[in-house]
Amino acid sequence: MPQSSSVEQAGLTAARLVARGPRFAYDKTVRISLWASVLVVAALFTWGAWERRWIADDGLIVLRTVRNLLAGNGPVFNAGERVEANTSTLWTYLVYFGSVIGGPVRLEYVVLALALTLSVAGVVLAMLGAGRLYAPSLQGRRALMLPAGVLVYIAVPPARDFATSGLENGLVLAYLGLLWWMMVCWSQAFHANRPARRPGPRDGAPSIRRQPLGASAGPQERHAVSGFFDGALAFVAGMSVLVRPELALIGGGALVMMLIAARDWRRRGLIVLAGGLVPVLYQIFRMGYYALLFPGTAVAKEASGSKWAQGFTYLANFNQPYLLWAPAILLAGLAAVVLVTRGRPWWTHRAAAPGYGWLARMVQSPAAVVIFFIASGLLQALYWIRQGGDFMHGRVLLAPMFCMLLPIAVIPIVLPDTTRMARGAGYLFVGATSVLWLAVAGWALWAANSSGLGADATRVTYSGIVDERRFYSQATGHAHPLTAADYLDYPRMRAVLRALNDTPDGALLLPAGNYDQWDVVPAIPPPPDAPPEVKNQKGPHTVFFTNLGMLGMNVGLDVRVIDQIGLANPLAAHSDRLEDGRIGHDKNLFPDWAVAEGPFLKTSPWIPSYLDEDWVAQAEAALECPATEAMLNSVRAPMGPRRFLSNLVHAYQFTQYRIDRVPRYELIRCGLEVPESTVPPYTGMPATGP
């Protein structure tokens, strides 16, 4: 056979072996019960998520970026301003490609389908990974595989809320589930049982020897299998930072484990290349295009900051309505019983392939993978508690909880076997496992029907945490707000469309105290001697508002939409964080800055009475600070090779740069002169006429 055909055949064999994985001889009861559990849980989760379907305002933010991509404006929120307003890079581009494939289908429905599919896929992969984890010790034994940890996850109402929210939660579930399943397979690859033994006095069951992955293939095919799988796993692990930046702790940890277990430097090079190529290339793009080291959302929310007290408040807010400590205790008991009844535990497996040292055997083992995911979940939870959590009830703790539940997503109930243990002891363990499992199922039924935060669900209390789905359902009057049109019933939304239509010459729109109107700051009109083509141009529009998603999706891409928090506003993103601000909203740039930096009239009577002419003038002067000008030029100046290289070099400096939100203090910080006041000083005396 020619050499090329031999290599091609080896590649095909590798693909088949990787897809099949290590071969285990299950009892039919194990296989049937596992797949039955998968189907039941997937159906329950799909139904539960569909019953609570919605798309969050923050989910609509992603769609504004996708609209700009489709329009050829690039991955930006506002045309002409390079701001990365979405935390998950991979989610943005998945939605983009989904919209391209979907064609005329509304973007909201594309997101709904993607989010729900990925959420359910994550739960399914979690169960299949746990089933594979237990496979070696169930050979030749009768057992039932029942859902356990996944029941706890899908029972918590926020898990079903964020399965269709338009945010990247579904992608995170699918990613963690896939990484878990692949790492379990990796830990079992090329691991063989000890040589088969003849049945002894305590071994009545037939001895079934497990073959390592690719044992029946030749050396070339085994090498192709190993390289193909290691490359695929390294690629998945490396993509963690593009799913969400904090997941780099998990993906990076997985890559470190693979590098330790690799048998030669050639394999380590493959792992580094497969795991790092795409993230490194995108990081170069981010630094050159957005002039930042991290997504703009990380700068706006100060992802490196700490608010421990608020974080523990967030943890208590998540735990209290559902008594999460109860299933934690029950699942710990289940795990203990499962370990006792499984016979030969997974931590005794050793690598059979030559060239493995003790460290490699320890790292590439199921026990190490289990410990890794539990520890990763704890680290993720600690990160979010340190950060202060979120303003959405339970959202950011869902992924850490899911991560820690992976090793016990399903559990085996080993049926009594007199050849392994006394029949009485076997029934005792089955009874204990059954009681604990029924207790978990009972809790899940109770939690699934919990009222959650109760009366505080839709009120922004001192904690700043709300049930986001219920809040927007109530505020819009729609049980399932899915489309941007549904959010037109949110306060101020229809009024903003009227205000835009009523200001054809351009204006800055500021939210008024009356929900049915907006305060208007007119645009600077063209000079009287301007040519007709200039006078006939449509004036510039800017809207300054917190809820970027619903606003950005209901106005045209020619309308600049900015916020005081900094998700889409580079100036606000680089302002200082408020120590006691609402979590997730703890930057608050004064609207005076929006008047100052735009082509709008800046004096009375054109500005609202609650704005100060002096502050506007001071903000306008502060924008001339050289460092601020450089930061704004990095995202507003035309993109070219020189701009890209300049941004790349100064990305760290721009990421660290902060301004003072008070214009006068910002002028002092920059060493600039404070403009003279144009407003007469207050004397306490009534004004007199001429």
Side-chain angles (χ1 to χ4, degrees), residues 159-174:
R160 285 168 283 140
D161 287 347
F162 290 103
T164 61
S165 65
L167 296 164
E168 67 279 356
N169 291 73
L171 174 63
V172 170
L173 285 193

Side-chain angles (χ1 to χ4, degrees), residues 26 46 97 121 129 188 233 236 283 328 330 349 380 406 431 476 508 547 551 559 688:
Y26 302 113
T46 302
F97 288 119
Q188 295 172 341
L233 177 55
V236 171
Q283 183 63 18
L330 294 172
H349 293 294
Q380 293 288 310
L406 287 171
T476 61
L508 166 68
N547 301 87
L551 180 61
V559 178
T688 58

Side-chain angles (χ1 to χ4, degrees), residues 60-209:
L60 295 175
I61 292 177
V62 179
L63 300 190
R64 168 87 173 189
T65 301
V66 172
R67 284 176 64 197
N68 273 299
L69 275 167
L70 294 171
N73 297 326
V76 298
F77 192 81
N78 290 306
E81 197 166 56
R82 295 180 294 276
V83 174
E84 191 176 14
N86 311 322
T87 303
S88 175
T89 302
L90 188 56
W91 178 238
T92 300
Y93 286 99
L94 276 178
V95 175
Y96 169 70
F97 288 119
S99 65
V100 171
I101 296 171
V105 179
R106 287 186 68 110
L107 283 175
E108 294 93 325
Y109 298 143
V110 171
V111 165
L112 180 67
L114 276 174
L116 182 57
T117 301
L118 289 171
S119 296
V120 176
V123 170
V124 169
L125 286 167
M127 299 177 72
L128 294 179
R132 180 167 290 278
L133 175 71
Y134 298 120
S137 62
L138 296 178
Q139 295 182 90
R141 305 181 71 181
R142 297 175 62 227
L144 293 174
M145 299 291 277
L146 298 179
V150 289
L151 285 183
V152 172
Y153 183 80
I154 69 172
V156 177
R160 285 168 283 140
D161 287 347
F162 290 103
T164 61
S165 65
L167 296 164
E168 67 279 356
N169 291 73
L171 174 63
V172 170
L173 285 193
Y175 175 79
L176 290 175
L178 177 62
L179 185 64
W180 159 249
W181 177 81
M182 293 185 76
M183 288 203 70
V184 171
C185 292
W186 171 77
S187 70
Q188 295 172 341
F190 300 100
H191 284 60
N193 285 342
R194 294 168 182 169
R197 296 179 292 112
R198 292 183 179 181
R202 296 177 57 85
D203 296 327
S207 177
I208 302 175
R209 179 171 179 170

